Amino acid sequence: MFESLQDGLKSALKTLQGKAKLSEGNMREGLAAVEQALLEADVSYAVAQDFIAHVSEKALGQKVLLALDPVQQLMAIIYQELVAILGPVDSAIPLRKEVTVLMMCGLQGSGKTTTCGKLTKLLQQNKKSVMLVAADLQRPAAIEQLHVIGGQLGVPVYSEPGQQDPVSVCTNAVAKARKDQIALVVLDTAGRLAIDQELMDQLVRIDKRVGPDQVYLVVDGMTGQDAVNSAKAFNEALELDGVIMTKLDGDARGGALLSVKQVTGVPIKFIGTGEHLDALEPFRPEGMVSRILGQGDIVGLAQMARSVIDETAQKEMEAKLQAGEFTLDDFKKQLKSVLQPGLMTKMLGLLPGMGEIQKMMSGVDAEGDAKRVVGIIDSMTAQERRNPKIIDPSRRNRIARGAGVQVAEVNGLLKQYETMAPIMRAMAGKSMMGRMQAIQDIQKSGMFNPGAKMPKIKGDTGKRLTSKERAEMKKRREKELRRKQREQKSDRDRRQDGDVA
């Protein structure tokens, strides 16, 4: 996401690194390079100039120039100013007691109809009933597409075949939603290839007649300043409550994202990051700026992890880790939880300092590789998954044949497991900072570098325990020992019954 902007800012800041001393002269040179990076990323000229003026005012003071690490100080100023440009943003949708109406508008090709479905998917997470309304009467394909999306999401889609007046469709749909006690209505209004008066008049009539609670404009992030111009025109006609920017997973340079709020005063509420219906996320300026500056987005990563990992399963995993256990079965469960299309690569991109690795993996089928790993683990016996140390060469050959892979891939998996297991155990019960350190250990281990050797990481030697803590640890060990004994007895019983694990 925004690779050209990231690379440009990184190159600009590199011109300041390694200087024996920072002066006003070379600081101005560095800021000129930052401005050039913004303009090349298609940021509006006025916005880029205004941004550099604010940064210069703070960066050219004695506090920064005489700082021990002035480049880091400059990075902090750039971060603060970018957040100020993009924020503040409140992505919450205020709900009314009866029916809350959301009106979606945008030009044809911006992804408006698909975004209606994505927003509905997001709203369903709050356990609210939603109705989609096919009010784009200019394109029969849009009505059909919305019905398909509604079927995929399991929500009703209101349409009136043969109706020519979109205002009547929207009015009747809201009346039906009120009668059926549906909490949210999403209006998919007409789009055009370009802004014209007929389109604006139609949208204004719907706005006045229906009185939507929120009006969102869907814009294509790949259209650069055209997206900004569209937002300005729509806002003058409708007084937008927010912008939803789509196609940010493509080669969007980022200029529109940084310009929309500054030029129109309308905040970006949501961003589309993929083609699937779950690829819409609330916009967080702090997280986006961290990504742009190559610092990752740990809050976004935590939110994404919570959305895909079952809370009960996570608590069970935490308990097992605290008891000192992390088996290949656990490794498999963690992999399977992120085996959604594109999710693994997306989560990798949210880790600090992983931008280069993400680029390196851009041609790698991460999901396919993860499925192969799951297949290898499934080819092992229950005993081998619990205790991989017993997997000798003959067992490795058998596992490889069962999974349909080369023995080298089995060896690679076992090396990855040996690297990850102590780190996962060390993360148990730790704070976010502690877990961040563990993630950095994983990065240093080279496990994300194809072909790199996997050095064993020394386990956490821990701290001096109190008598109470030792007693609790002993109790956990005894409990875990009893569990293993029950499993072994169960395995023996199955083998006696002729069921070989």
Side-chain angles (χ1 to χ4, degrees):
M1 192 184 287
F2 307 143
E3 287 180 12
S4 62
L5 180 55
Q6 287 179 5
D7 293 343
L9 288 174
K10 197 181 296 181
S11 299
L13 291 168
K14 269 185 181 177
T15 62
L16 297 173
Q17 290 175 342
K19 299 278 187 184
K21 182 182 178 184
L22 281 180
S23 63
E24 282 200 23
N26 53 33
M27 182 69 88
R28 287 187 190 281
E29 288 176 14
L31 291 174
V34 170
E35 182 177 14
Q36 185 64 32
L38 293 172
L39 293 173
E40 287 177 358
D42 210 13
V43 175
S44 158
Y45 180 72
V47 172
Q49 279 206 317
D50 191 44
F51 172 79
I52 291 298
H54 281 95
V55 173
S56 298
E57 185 180 344
K58 296 178 181 178
L60 294 175
Q62 293 298 308
K63 185 178 177 181
V64 173
L65 292 175
L66 299 179
L68 290 175
D69 194 341
V71 176
Q72 285 300 314
Q73 288 272 52
L74 178 60
M75 277 282 284
I77 293 170
I78 289 174
Y79 172 87
Q80 291 164 2
E81 290 302 318
L82 285 173
V83 170
I85 283 178
L86 293 171
V89 176
D90 180 9
S91 295
I93 295 175
L95 299 177
R96 295 175 59 183
K97 287 184 178 179
E98 287 188 326
V99 179
T100 301
V101 181
L102 308 178
M103 178 175 167
M104 307 283 278
C105 52
L107 294 178
Q108 194 172 315
S110 63
K112 175 173 55 62
T113 301
T114 304
T115 301
C116 287
K118 291 179 179 179
L119 184 60
T120 299
K121 176 86 171 174
L122 204 62
L123 295 169
Q124 286 179 314
Q125 294 178 6
N126 297 322
K127 311 297 183 187
K128 297 294 181 184
S129 54
V130 186
M131 173 192 282
L132 288 165
V133 179
D136 184 352
L137 307 184
Q138 308 296 320
R139 291 192 310 128
I143 299 173
E144 185 179 340
Q145 182 187 0
L146 201 65
H147 275 281
V148 171
I149 290 171
Q152 291 173 346
L153 296 172
V155 300
V157 177
Y158 184 90
S159 63
E160 295 183 13
Q163 176 63 262
Q164 299 296 315
D165 182 13
V167 180
S168 296
V169 172
C170 293
T171 305
N172 295 339
V174 173
K176 180 167 176 54
R178 189 172 287 112
K179 178 183 175 184
D180 294 347
Q181 296 185 325
I182 291 174
L184 287 144
V185 171
V186 179
L187 308 177
D188 181 22
T189 62
R192 292 284 197 282
L193 291 173
I195 295 169
D196 61 31
Q197 195 57 45
E198 182 186 0
L199 169 65
M200 289 304 180
D201 288 345
Q202 186 183 106
L203 295 174
V204 168
R205 284 191 293 119
I206 294 173
D207 188 26
K208 288 182 178 178
R209 184 80 168 272
V210 178
D213 299 281
Q214 297 270 284
V215 180
Y216 296 146
L217 174 68
V218 180
V219 296
D220 182 345
M222 295 175 67
T223 59
Q225 289 309 299
D226 284 342
V228 181
N229 297 333
S230 296
K232 192 172 181 182
F234 274 92
N235 187 49
E236 287 171 356
L238 294 169
E239 294 187 19
L240 300 171
D241 293 289
V243 168
I244 300 177
M245 192 162 285
T246 63
K247 304 181 186 178
L248 293 184
D249 56 318
D251 58 357
R253 287 178 287 176
L257 185 85
L258 292 175
S259 302
V260 164
K261 170 73 186 305
Q262 194 81 340
V263 172
T264 67
V266 180
I268 295 170
K269 290 265 192 173
F270 302 94
I271 55 173
T273 57
E275 297 178 1
H276 297 276
L277 291 176
D278 57 359
L280 185 75
E281 57 187 68
F283 181 64
R284 293 178 41 257
E286 299 83 0
M288 181 55 68
V289 173
S290 288
R291 289 191 225 181
I292 289 172
L293 295 178
Q295 297 171 350
D297 181 6
I298 293 302
V299 174
L301 181 63
Q303 290 175 348
M304 192 176 293
R306 276 198 297 270
S307 70
V308 299
I309 298 174
D310 179 73
E311 190 174 344
T312 304
Q314 196 61 27
K315 286 179 180 177
E316 290 174 0
M317 173 63 71
E318 189 77 18
K320 291 181 76 176
L321 289 172
Q322 288 184 342
E325 182 181 353
F326 181 72
T327 68
L328 280 165
D329 270 326
D330 300 322
F331 188 22
K332 183 181 81 170
K333 287 176 185 175
Q334 295 292 310
L335 274 177
K336 289 184 80 171
S337 67
V338 295
L339 275 178
Q340 297 176 21
L343 181 61
M344 192 177 294
T345 305
K346 194 183 294 185
M347 292 180 80
L348 186 64
L350 296 176
L351 287 171
M354 297 296 279
E356 293 303 316
I357 293 174
Q358 191 182 23
K359 287 180 194 175
M360 180 180 69
M361 291 183 67
S362 59
V364 176
D365 181 9
E367 284 78 23
D369 290 345
K371 287 176 182 176
R372 288 166 73 83
V373 169
V374 170
I376 294 171
I377 296 173
D378 283 341
S379 294
M380 299 176 185
T381 66
Q383 189 180 14
E384 288 166 346
R385 291 197 293 270
R386 283 195 299 272
N387 183 17
K389 290 182 180 179
I390 69 171
I391 303 177
D392 57 22
S394 65
R395 288 176 183 258
R396 292 180 191 220
N397 284 324
R398 191 206 78 240
I399 291 165
R401 286 196 304 271
V405 300
Q406 298 294 318
V407 175
E409 292 186 59
V410 178
N411 294 336
L413 164 62
L414 293 174
K415 284 182 180 178
Q416 284 189 358
Y417 169 74
E418 288 173 12
T419 302
M420 279 193 67
I423 296 173
M424 293 297 291
R425 293 186 194 110
M427 287 173 72
K430 286 195 173 180
S431 64
M432 179 61 77
M433 288 300 294
R435 292 183 185 224
M436 276 303 303
Q437 182 60 52
I439 289 170
Q440 289 172 3
D441 288 341
I442 292 175
Q443 288 176 234
K444 291 174 186 174
S445 74
M447 75 168 290
F448 290 120
N449 184 0
K453 291 185 178 179
M454 309 284 183
K456 286 189 179 181
I457 295 180
K458 186 178 179 182
D460 188 3
T461 56
K463 60 179 182 178
R464 189 178 296 276
L465 301 175
T466 65
S467 57
K468 184 179 179 182
E469 287 173 333
R470 282 197 297 271
E472 288 177 351
M473 186 172 286
K474 182 181 178 183
K475 190 184 295 183
R476 282 201 301 269
R477 283 199 300 266
E478 289 171 349
K479 183 179 178 182
E480 187 59 27
L481 181 61
R482 288 195 298 272
R483 186 186 69 78
K484 287 184 177 180
Q485 288 172 343
R486 285 196 302 271
E487 287 182 351
Q488 288 170 358
K489 182 179 183 300
S490 178
D491 285 345
R492 284 197 300 271
D493 292 343
R494 281 199 300 270
R495 283 196 294 271
Q496 288 171 1
D497 292 337
D499 181 12
V500 180

